[in-house]
Amino acid sequence: MIMQRRLEADVPKGWVTGALGASLLTASLLASAAPAFAEDANVQRAPHSRSVFGPDPRYPSTYDPKQQIDIYGGKKNIDEPRPLLESGEPMYKEGPLQPNFDIVGRKNLVAPAFSLYGDWRSAVAYNDNGTGKRVGQIATRLNLEADLQFTATERIHAAFRPIDRNGRFTRWEFAGPDANGAHLELDFVPRTLFFEGDMGNIVAGFTDKYQKWDLPFTFGLVPLIFQNGIWVNSAMAGGAVSIVGRNSPALSIANMDITFFAGGDQVTTPAVKDAAGNLVKHGLAVYGVNAFIEANEGYWEIGGGAIHDYRNDLFGDKSYGSATVAFTKRYFGWLSNSWRGIAAFGQDRQSNGQRTADGFIVLMENSLVSSQPLVLVPYLNLFAGFGRPQSLMRNADAGGVLFNTGILFQTDGLTGYPKLDDTGADTYGAALGVNYLFNLEQQIVVEAATVQTHGATVDPTRPAKGPQYGVGARYQRNLTKAWIFRTDVMYAWRDNDENVAGIRAEFRQKF
């Protein structure tokens, strides 16, 4: 009985329960103990007694450090690039945490920290964007992120791009018939500046009681990205709040987040431009809602919103509504598929009889799960646009609604690298390519794409004057833990328009 109680105390709960389990374990221990026990006629061996406990590990005579690292899949500590400035609790650093302070409550301790980080991009390129736009140049761009942390969930964050302004980058145009010398572009106005936190944690700190709910929120000049930046990719002066972690067994919803947002200034959309063709930054408001839903063995994204034009513009009110739905799922174990629909509606005709946001687009993204699913990804992305589809919000660097369709629909946000028509206005097309990541230290993408027009044969308001066909490639790899090299090349044939071509090489330093 003493042995049985001792065994029950030593064995974790759930392994062996009850007197029968303890008796079997006792017999097993006795059977595998000293020979004297095994020779005792009163002791019976339990069935399969040798499978209860395995043999002790056999250690090599010499210590091999490499074998110890291999236990963790060959992973080891690296000296990662650190922020340019860092004070207080370090970001993603191993070791003991620094002392926290009870200022707003024991349940929401203050852990002050400040960091300044980002990247510096510099590229040399020769781009032919058609007549009047053939330039060889060196351009540079600095992205700075400043983060002031108060608690584990509350912080103030700001982003700056001090050496580019209104889509023009600090550069030296040194070659080509349209080169125009050196240009210094300065802008110290923050691109984002916002506070974010979790009301559940804040209330827990003040009341000294943990809350059963979370309510993350933000306000200021807030960046928003929904549907991988296809429906929304811009900052706004306003705020947002999210209801997170909901589920519904009745509707088979495993997880659901709903975000409500609104902004009264710094709202940008390609549907509203000034006389010079630049996106209007003032005089627009936005409000909307977006939901992320895990259901139907896939992932739903559903959203709706509106742009309100309060400028009293002489050319007419360009307010419009927007709605979107998307679903992502893997089929048959070998096909990853996403389809998206975005509609713009409700805009009045302008004084010229045209609308800039009045239509819809359907996008389908497909990638095959290959025999090397982590590194080899063939893809085929399709789209069909009708009328003048528009995202709800996009900034000048975010490109058009087809930005994610393929590399031939992307500019580089630096040198004016050419691309196919990315608006989806009365067009349909596809991008077929393959993405290979080698051993995850480098990448190559090869792609062919086309844009086909439909509707009126000649439409002066449609960016694509006729069918377009393009081929392109991208290669990038890390040179060190802080430096990345990337190069791109493309050529596109455009009916009823000038062909375009580009080649570029870029170095990017992370800090």
Side-chain angles (χ1 to χ4, degrees):
M1 180 61 70
I2 295 176
M3 175 67 77
Q4 176 177 323
R5 289 177 179 174
R6 181 177 179 183
L7 287 170
E8 289 177 330
D10 291 344
V11 177
K13 292 182 179 180
W15 285 22
V16 180
T17 56
L20 177 61
S23 299
L24 289 175
L25 187 55
T26 303
S28 178
L29 283 173
L30 294 175
S32 60
F37 285 96
E39 295 172 356
D40 191 339
N42 297 324
V43 176
Q44 301 294 325
R45 290 184 179 273
H48 310 292
S49 61
R50 294 187 181 276
S51 65
V52 176
F53 294 102
D56 288 341
R58 295 183 178 181
Y59 299 100
S61 57
T62 58
Y63 177 79
D64 187 352
K66 182 178 182 303
Q67 288 184 348
Q68 305 307 310
I69 294 176
D70 290 342
I71 294 174
Y72 301 96
K75 299 177 181 178
K76 57 184 179 181
N77 183 42
I78 62 171
D79 294 325
E80 71 278 4
R82 301 305 305 168
L84 189 64
L85 295 175
E86 194 170 24
S87 178
E89 190 66 56
M91 181 186 298
Y92 302 125
K93 191 71 174 177
E94 66 278 355
L97 298 176
Q98 297 190 11
N100 297 337
F101 304 97
D102 182 1
I103 298 176
V104 293
R106 295 184 303 165
K107 300 295 191 295
N108 192 27
L109 295 174
V110 172
F114 175 79
S115 58
L116 181 67
Y117 57 93
D119 60 53
W120 178 30
R121 300 174 55 195
S122 297
V124 57
Y126 188 90
N127 299 322
D128 180 358
N129 278 289
T131 303
K133 300 178 181 178
R134 299 182 178 94
V135 175
Q137 62 179 296
I138 297 174
T140 188
R141 165 177 168 173
L142 180 63
N143 301 312
L144 291 175
E145 307 276 345
D147 193 270
L148 178 60
Q149 176 182 310
F150 301 109
T151 71
T153 55
E154 282 73 57
R155 65 169 183 159
I156 292 177
H157 190 88
F160 300 87
R161 284 169 41 183
I163 55 176
D164 69 86
R165 178 176 55 187
N166 296 329
R168 299 187 301 271
F169 296 86
T170 295
R171 65 198 183 279
W172 173 40
E173 299 177 358
F174 62 87
D178 305 303
N180 191 25
H183 301 265
L184 177 63
E185 305 287 348
L186 300 177
D187 186 359
F188 299 101
V189 177
R191 302 299 177 95
T192 67
L193 177 58
F194 59 93
F195 173 88
E196 70 175 2
D198 178 20
M199 187 58 67
N201 266 28
I202 293 175
V203 172
F206 287 134
T207 63
D208 200 31
K209 294 181 180 178
Y210 288 118
Q211 305 301 307
K212 297 181 180 180
W213 48 271
D214 297 314
L215 191 68
F217 67 96
T218 182
F219 60 85
L221 186 55
V222 181
L224 293 178
I225 296 179
F226 294 128
Q227 290 201 26
N228 294 336
I230 297 175
W231 186 51
V232 170
N233 189 350
S234 183
M236 64 171 190
V241 61
S242 295
I243 301 173
V244 299
R246 302 298 181 179
N247 63 78
S248 172
L251 299 176
S252 299
I253 296 176
N255 184 47
M256 178 172 60
D257 298 343
I258 303 175
T259 299
F260 301 88
F261 58 93
D265 197 18
Q266 298 285 340
V267 175
T268 57
T269 167
V272 186
K273 299 181 179 180
D274 60 21
N278 299 316
L279 302 190
V280 169
K281 292 185 178 180
H282 306 288
L284 302 179
V286 65
Y287 51 89
V289 59
N290 189 77
F292 304 85
I293 303 171
E294 295 181 37
N296 307 112
E297 299 182 348
Y299 188 64
W300 290 91
E301 296 175 84
I302 303 172
I307 295 290
H308 174 57
D309 183 357
Y310 58 86
R311 299 172 302 152
N312 297 319
D313 189 78
L314 296 176
F315 296 99
D317 184 356
K318 294 185 178 179
S319 302
Y320 65 93
S322 180
T324 182
V325 60
F327 183 64
T328 300
K329 185 177 179 179
R330 178 172 290 186
Y331 299 91
F332 315 116
W334 56 266
L335 175 64
S336 294
N337 169 265
S338 295
W339 63 265
R340 309 176 190 275
I342 297 176
F345 50 87
Q347 188 182 69
D348 296 334
R349 291 188 181 275
Q350 311 306 300
S351 58
N352 59 5
Q354 303 294 329
R355 295 186 177 99
T356 58
D358 181 35
F360 67 94
I361 188 169
V362 178
L363 305 102
M364 181 175 290
E365 303 163 7
N366 305 280
S367 63
L368 297 180
V369 180
S370 69
S371 59
Q372 298 176 284
L374 296 180
V375 297
L376 180 61
V377 184
Y379 62 89
L380 173 63
N381 300 330
L382 311 169
F383 69 91
F386 304 88
R388 299 296 178 269
Q390 293 286 357
S391 303
L392 179 63
M393 287 195 299
R394 302 192 75 78
N395 61 37
D397 296 334
V401 69
L402 296 178
F403 183 82
N404 284 3
T405 298
I407 62 173
L408 287 165
F409 295 89
Q410 299 175 356
T411 186
D412 63 351
L414 186 57
T415 69
Y417 186 70
K419 55 184 173 59
L420 299 179
D421 172 37
D422 60 358
T423 65
D426 278 334
T427 58
Y428 63 95
L432 174 66
V434 60
N435 178 14
Y436 185 54
L437 296 171
F438 296 87
N439 290 320
L440 301 179
E441 86 286 358
Q442 54 187 320
Q443 176 194 40
I444 187 169
V445 183
V446 179
E447 180 179 289
T450 183
V451 174
Q452 300 291 314
T453 59
H454 66 84
T457 305
V458 179
D459 185 348
T461 67
R462 183 177 57 204
K465 298 178 181 179
Q468 301 179 353
Y469 306 88
V471 292
R474 173 179 299 167
Y475 174 78
Q476 61 181 340
R477 69 165 301 149
N478 61 304
L479 302 177
T480 68
K481 297 180 179 65
W483 284 92
I484 299 173
F485 171 76
R486 168 179 155 182
T487 183
D488 298 82
V489 62
M490 69 87 65
Y491 192 91
W493 298 265
R494 305 191 300 179
D495 287 6
N496 306 317
D497 206 347
E498 295 282 342
N499 295 340
V500 295
I503 184 170
R504 63 186 297 277
E506 176 183 330
F507 291 91
R508 176 181 177 186
Q509 182 186 18
K510 301 188 298 180
F511 53 84

